[in-house]
C-alpha cells in the first residue's frame, strides 16, 4: 500500500481482503437530493466503515426495500486498487470490486442498530 | 448568469460587500453556522486575505447567486488550520498543485424557493464549481481539496466530477464532514464557463 499524489491509497486486492473493516457510523439521508427521494415507503441512508492505518475509509448508500437492507450504487473510498505490478485499475473497476468486497460484510445489522440509536 | 473572479483588490467594493452579504445569508442565516462576523451582516474570516481568490456567480439582475473561495495550500487555509483532524494524522497538503475550495454555495435568493442543501447539484452550482476549477487550474492547481458535508461526495460524483475522499469522515456538531479531493481533469476544465474580471473595479 502506498499513498498517491492524488490522495488515494493504492492497494492490491490481496491487501484489501486482508483488512477487517469496522463500523464507523451510519445515518439516514438528510436531504431530498436523490432520485429515490419521495418514493413512498423507501428509507435510504449511508453507512461508513473503517480499517487499517493509515485509515482506509469506505462508505456506501443503502435502501430498505421489502424489509431488506441493500447496498445502492458503488462504494466511495480513498482506496484505488492496483494489480500486483502496482498498475492502477480504473476508478470504475476499483469501485466495482470494492462493492463486491463490502457485500461480504454483514453490515446490515450494524447499520440498522446505528440508525435506530441515532434517530430513535 | 455570469462568473467573475479575482482577489479583493481586483473586485469592486460593491461586489465584495455583496459577496460578504451573500455568504452571511447562506452560511449564518440559512445554515446556522456559528461564524464570527467581522461586520454586521457580512461573513468574512481570517482566510479572506488580499491573496484569496474569489469566484462569484451573478444572475441577470446582478445579484450574487454563488460564491467560491480559493486558497493555495502553500499558505494558511481552512482545512490545514481549522480541520486538520479530517485527515487523521496524514500530512495536510502543502503544494502549489493543490488549492482549497471553501465557502462554496449557490443560492438564488430572488427565486421563489431556495435551499442551500443541493449545494453542488443545481445548474448554477455545477457552473460555479466548473468556473472555480478553471480559475484554480489557471493558477497552477491540479486538484482542489475542500471540507464538505458527507452528502456532497455523492452529489459531486453524480454531477460528473472526479471527486473522492482523502480520509474517513468525522462527526462535527452532529453532522458528518470529510475532506474531499476534486481532480481538475483537463476535459472538465475545458468545458467550463468563461470567467471574467470585475470590470466595475477598473
Amino acid at each position: 500500500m502506498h499513498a498517491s499524489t492524488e490522495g488515494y491509497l493504492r492497494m492490491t486486492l490481496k491487501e484489501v481482503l486482508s483488512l477487517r473493516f469496522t463500523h464507523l457510523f451510519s445515518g439516514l439521508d438528510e436531504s431530498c437530493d436523490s432520485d429515490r427521494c419521495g418514493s413512498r415507503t423507501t428509507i435510504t441512508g449511508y453507512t461508513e466503515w473503517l480499517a487499517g492505518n493509515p485509515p482506509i475509509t469506505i462508505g456506501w448508500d443503502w435502501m430498505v426495500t421489502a424489509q431488506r437492507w441493500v447496498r445502492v450504487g458503488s462504494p466511495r473510498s480513498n482506496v484505488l486498487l492496483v494489480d500486483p505490478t502496482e498498475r492502477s485499475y480504473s476508478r470504475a473497476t476499483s469501485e466495482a470490486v470494492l462493492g463486491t468486497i463490502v457485500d461480504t460484510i454483514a453490515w446490515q445489522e450494524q447499520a440498522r442498530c446505528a440508525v435506530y440509536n441515532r434517530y430513535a | 448568469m455570469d462568473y467573475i473572479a479575482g482577489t479583493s483588490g481586483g473586485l469592486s467594493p460593491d461586489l465584495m460587500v455583496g459577496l460578504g452579504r451573500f455568504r452571511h445569508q447562506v452560511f449564518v442565516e440559512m445554515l446556522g453556522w456559528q461564524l464570527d462576523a467581522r461586520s454586521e451582516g457580512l461573513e468574512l474570516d481570517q482566510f479572506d486575505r488580499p491573496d484569496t481568490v474569489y469566484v462569484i456567480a451573478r444572475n441577470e439582475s446582478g445579484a450574487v447567486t454563488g460564491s467560491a473561495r480559493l486558497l493555495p495550500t502553500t499558505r494558511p487555509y481552512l482545512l490545514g488550520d481549522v480541520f486538520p483532524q479530517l485527515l487523521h494524522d496524514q500530512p495536510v497538503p502543502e503544494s502549489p498543485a493543490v488549492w482549497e475550495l471553501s465557502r462554496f454555495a449557490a443560492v438564488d435568493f430572488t427565486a421563489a424557493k431556495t435551499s442551500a442543501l443541493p449545494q453542488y447539484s443545481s445548474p448554477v452550482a455545477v457552473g460555479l464549481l466548473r468556473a472555480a476549477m478553471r480559475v484554480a487550474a489557471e493558477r497552477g492547481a491540479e486538484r482542489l481539496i475542500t471540507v464538505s458535508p458527507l452528502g456532497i461526495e455523492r452529489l459531486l460524483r453524480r454531477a460528473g466530477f472526479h471527486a473522492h475522499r482523502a480520509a474517513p469522515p468525522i462527526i462535527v456538531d452532529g453532522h458528518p464532514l470529510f475532506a474531499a479531493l476534486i481532480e481538475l481533469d483537463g476535459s472538465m476544465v475545458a468545458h467550463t464557463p468563461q470567467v471574467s474580471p470585475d470590470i466595475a473595479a477598473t
Side-chain angles (χ1 to χ4, degrees), chain B:
Chain B
M1 187 68 56
D2 66 333
Y3 300 94
I4 298 160
T7 61
S8 57
L11 300 172
S12 69
D14 282 351
L15 188 54
M16 283 304 296
V17 169
L19 174 67
R21 187 171 293 132
F22 173 82
R23 281 175 31 179
H24 193 275
Q25 284 180 290
V26 173
F27 297 110
V28 178
E29 298 169 34
M30 282 184 76
L31 297 176
W33 291 10
Q34 301 296 310
L35 300 171
D36 293 330
R38 287 184 187 173
S39 306
E40 189 64 33
L42 301 179
E43 194 280 300
L44 296 167
D45 68 12
Q46 70 270 34
F47 301 107
D48 293 297
R49 307 180 302 243
D51 65 320
T52 302
V53 178
Y54 302 96
V55 184
I56 301 167
R58 290 193 305 194
N59 64 14
E60 290 70 17
S61 61
V64 174
T65 56
S67 76
R69 182 172 70 181
L70 293 167
L71 293 163
T73 59
T74 51
R75 299 208 56 212
Y77 63 106
L78 184 68
L79 174 68
D81 281 25
V82 181
F83 293 106
Q85 67 272 30
L86 285 174
L87 292 180
H88 297 256
D89 297 327
Q90 296 177 89
V92 296
E94 186 179 343
S95 164
V98 184
W99 282 58
E100 183 186 59
L101 174 69
S102 59
R103 293 296 193 271
F104 184 93
V107 182
D108 189 348
F109 287 102
T110 63
K113 183 181 178 185
T114 60
S115 167
L117 289 175
Q119 277 176 306
Y120 287 90
S121 59
S122 74
V124 175
V126 170
L128 177 64
L129 181 55
R130 287 183 172 166
M133 291 166 71
R134 180 184 189 127
V135 169
E138 288 169 352
R139 286 160 174 77
E142 296 173 7
R143 62 191 55 85
L144 301 177
I145 192 162
T146 182
V147 176
S148 293
L150 187 57
I152 295 301
E153 186 181 32
R154 181 170 54 193
L155 297 176
L156 283 169
R157 291 156 62 105
R158 190 177 297 153
F161 296 102
H162 180 173
H164 64 96
R165 53 186 62 188
I170 62 172
I171 302 281
V172 177
D173 296 332
H175 301 285
L177 294 181
F178 80 120
L181 286 161
I182 305 171
E183 298 296 322
L184 303 187
D185 298 336
S187 59
M188 179 65 80
V189 174
H191 294 90
T192 56
Q194 287 296 319
V195 184
S196 309
D198 184 14
I199 55 172
T202 58

